[in-house]
Amino acid sequence: MSFGPPHSLYTESTRAAEGRRTRLRTRLLGAAAAVLLVVGGVGGWLIAADDDPPPAAEPAPVAQSPDEVRETVEKVPASPEGRLMVMQREAGLEKFKDGDQRYAPGTWATGKVFAKGMADKVMGFEIGADSDDPAWTLELGGHICATTKHVTADGRTAVVVQPKKPEGDVTEGVCDKVVFFDIDTGKKLWQATMPSARSAFVTNTNLTLTSGVVAVAWGQGSIAYDMKNGRQLWNGNTASSCEDEGFAGGRALLALLGCGEGTDATYQVQKLDPRTGKAEWTYKVARGIQAVYLPSSDPPVLAVAAGDLTVTDLITLDAAGKHRATIAMADSYDPKCGERYFSSPYFGVVEYCDGMAVGQDRLFVATKDESDIDQPANWIVAFDAATGRTDGKFEGRPYQPVHPIRTNGDELLIFRGSLSEYEPAAVVSWNPSTDKETPYLLFNLPQDDLGKLGDLEWSDIVVEKGRVFFSRRQLSADSEDPKAAVLASVGLGSFGLRH
């Protein structure tokens, strides 16, 4: 596996990363002493539904054109009883040395297919099929370098690839190929080679989608393509002291610019016209900031780290790029920006803050883990985007931490984990205006390696079309049976899904 330079990127051992999960492991061990852990398999619990209230009214769907970034609104299923819809296992991991991983960046789903990036390919699995074999496999001709969480309204997305090159080639390790594909069919719709991308690597390449546009930035350059045909729209390689470090897509296109070097480095955020790359406004971030993430383009939201690389504040802007509010994270909140892959900048990091979600009027942020086993494991706090004031709180339960997944109209979809054999994990929707919780799915996850499948530090969690998918971002061989296939992804749906 050649991801360069440097020649060997993935050198941080699993043991070194364990220090970042000490508190979580403490809670897991405490739970093991108090309750029986979930056994392998899905299900094994009863639901008493006689006195359940009727399902909440479903939000009206948003009409979108095919090239817009998808914004689906989930329906409340007739029954929240979960059932297995997809199970993916990955074999051949025994060839990796101790501590090495098979990287699996990228997780997407439509109403028909669950798709998963795996090293140098993308595989699609038919949802609800009897077979565990992929329905299609898209060979990429090189390892995945960057992915995007965004999907178009008609089910297309993109990856950046590091093409295979002869050993010693001056462009060996360069990530300069964009592949745009259909998730339902696995068909490659187009691919393009990024000009002047000799400094694009897995450590600095960021990819996003916005309406009709695929955009890539790698620090010393950027480029945008038309979704319809792969035609280049603009190239951001300029002789400027500020460089495009990454983009945030979705409803709009924001660019993160790094200006200067070392202790004098500063950041700017620009809103760009997606078709031309021209800046519509510029927001200058205060000096002393060490890192900036863009968890939302519309409304514009910045997550900034002052002093070190841990996020200290969230900043909301208005439609004209003017400051609205600053929300201090202090020592209480955990937006999880840049925390994937042992906090290394692999596969694109600018848009990923896994501990928070952004709606039109509110920001939802998870708190840090609570060490007291008699208290809720954590909370999700809603903040008003205009004022920065708190605007509601959703509590986890002892041994049942909660994580924001994404907004669902005016509500928030939440994953509530569980370490109990008797209390299932769940996907629920929370209305912060009424404080009402609506169950969507109840299930038990297979017990794997201290719960990595349901841990946002290790796995993607995607909710789409009434299903929830848990997918590991990196895999290693089973220490007791190295040749055994390892659980990579699980998809769960409802026995009573309404279409």
Side-chain angles (χ1 to χ4, degrees):
M1 189 173 188
S2 176
F3 274 153
H7 181 67
S8 178
L9 286 176
Y10 306 122
T11 56
E12 182 172 357
S13 68
T14 302
R15 185 178 64 179
E18 288 299 311
R20 300 182 62 249
R21 291 181 291 277
T22 300
R23 293 187 67 191
L24 175 59
R25 289 179 181 271
T26 300
R27 290 188 58 83
L28 287 167
L29 293 173
V35 298
L36 295 175
L37 290 176
V38 180
V39 296
V42 179
W45 39 266
L46 299 176
I47 301 174
D50 292 343
D51 298 323
D52 285 352
E58 296 168 1
V62 178
Q64 293 186 282
S65 67
D67 282 349
E68 288 184 298
V69 170
R70 181 178 67 188
E71 294 184 50
T72 50
V73 177
E74 296 299 313
K75 298 179 180 179
V76 180
S79 168
E81 292 181 84
R83 63 173 173 139
L84 185 65
M85 305 292 283
V86 172
M87 180 172 282
Q88 176 202 1
R89 295 185 179 274
E90 186 70 7
L93 300 176
E94 69 276 4
K95 65 183 180 181
F96 290 88
K97 297 178 182 179
D98 291 343
D100 287 347
Q101 307 278 334
R102 174 172 293 173
Y103 288 88
T107 303
W108 310 273
T110 68
K112 300 176 181 178
V113 169
F114 162 76
K116 181 62 186 165
M118 188 68 65
D120 58 357
K121 60 190 175 185
V122 179
M123 296 179 290
F125 298 85
E126 184 180 351
I127 296 171
D130 293 333
S131 173
D132 292 336
D133 296 328
W136 55 258
T137 299
L138 175 59
E139 300 289 347
L140 298 170
H143 285 289
I144 297 172
C145 283
T147 67
T148 175
K149 61 186 176 182
H150 298 304
V151 174
T152 64
D154 63 354
R156 296 167 293 158
T157 194
V159 293
V160 176
V161 177
Q162 177 199 84
K164 293 179 181 178
K165 300 288 179 66
E167 187 174 350
D169 190 293
V170 292
T171 60
E172 184 184 12
V174 170
C175 302
D176 62 359
K177 184 169 76 171
V178 183
V179 176
F180 194 61
F181 65 95
D182 185 292
I183 297 172
D184 281 337
T185 65
K187 180 180 178 181
K188 183 191 296 182
L189 301 175
W190 54 261
Q191 71 177 44
T193 299
M194 299 187 297
S196 306
R198 288 197 170 191
S199 58
F201 303 106
V202 70
T203 52
N204 64 355
T205 302
N206 286 268
L207 164 72
T208 198
L209 307 182
T210 190
S211 182
V213 174
V214 179
V216 189
W218 57 91
Q220 296 183 24
S222 59
I223 197 165
Y225 296 97
D226 192 315
M227 279 184 186
K228 289 183 172 63
N229 49 29
R231 178 176 62 89
Q232 180 179 318
L233 296 174
W234 48 268
N235 190 324
N237 294 304
T238 60
S240 169
S241 60
C242 297
E243 299 178 339
D244 290 333
E245 297 202 356
F247 296 123
R251 293 181 178 178
L253 183 63
L254 296 188
L256 172 64
L257 282 70
C259 308
E261 296 181 358
T263 56
D264 294 327
T266 59
Y267 291 96
Q268 298 178 8
V269 174
Q270 293 182 334
K271 182 179 180 182
L272 304 184
D273 181 319
R275 307 297 296 185
T276 67
K278 294 181 179 179
E280 298 179 0
W281 52 252
T282 299
Y283 176 82
K284 294 183 178 181
V285 181
R287 289 187 175 274
I289 297 300
Q290 303 300 308
V292 179
Y293 303 91
L294 303 176
S296 174
S297 67
D298 183 5
V301 177
L302 288 62
V304 302
D308 57 26
L309 297 181
T310 301
V311 169
T312 53
D313 299 276
L314 304 179
I315 298 172
T316 63
L317 309 179
D318 65 16
K322 304 299 183 182
H323 179 272
R324 298 176 78 189
T326 296
I327 305 168
M329 296 289 94
D331 293 325
S332 302
Y333 299 99
D334 191 13
K336 295 187 182 298
C337 301
E339 292 192 4
R340 298 181 171 194
Y341 306 104
F342 306 136
S343 295
S344 297
Y346 302 154
F347 311 113
V349 300
V350 169
E351 287 187 284
Y352 291 107
C353 291
D354 294 316
M356 64 177 290
V358 180
Q360 278 301 293
D361 303 311
R362 294 181 176 93
L363 283 62
F364 302 93
V365 188
T367 66
K368 293 182 177 180
D369 245 11
E370 170 61 54
S371 58
D372 188 340
I373 61 175
D374 293 326
Q375 296 295 316
N378 71 334
W379 296 262
I380 295 172
V381 178
F383 295 92
D384 185 289
T387 66
R389 299 190 185 99
T390 57
D391 192 27
K393 181 177 70 172
F394 186 91
E395 288 193 0
R397 301 169 180 171
Y399 311 116
Q400 291 190 291
V402 288
H403 309 284
I405 302 174
R406 65 172 174 87
T407 54
N408 190 50
D410 293 329
E411 300 189 353
L412 177 69
L413 291 175
I414 295 169
F415 168 59
R416 182 166 57 216
S418 179
L419 304 175
S420 168
E421 182 178 5
Y422 308 106
E423 298 167 347
V427 171
V428 302
S429 187
W430 175 49
N431 186 324
S433 296
T434 63
D435 200 29
K436 181 176 181 180
E437 172 188 339
T438 302
Y440 272 53
L441 286 173
L442 304 172
F443 50 88
N444 284 339
L445 284 174
Q447 185 63 23
D448 74 313
D449 200 5
L450 275 177
K452 288 180 180 177
L453 197 62
D455 183 348
L456 286 169
E457 194 166 331
W458 292 92
S459 297
D460 294 329
I461 304 177
V462 173
V463 174
E464 190 61 36
K465 295 292 191 296
R467 290 105 178 194
V468 58
F469 302 90
F470 299 84
S471 186
R472 293 277 297 276
R473 300 188 195 107
Q474 53 202 70
L475 302 167
S476 57
D478 188 303
S479 58
E480 297 183 1
D481 187 2
K483 293 186 178 181
V486 172
L487 183 64
S489 305
V490 166
L492 302 132
S494 168
F495 277 103
L497 180 65
R498 295 194 306 228
H499 295 282

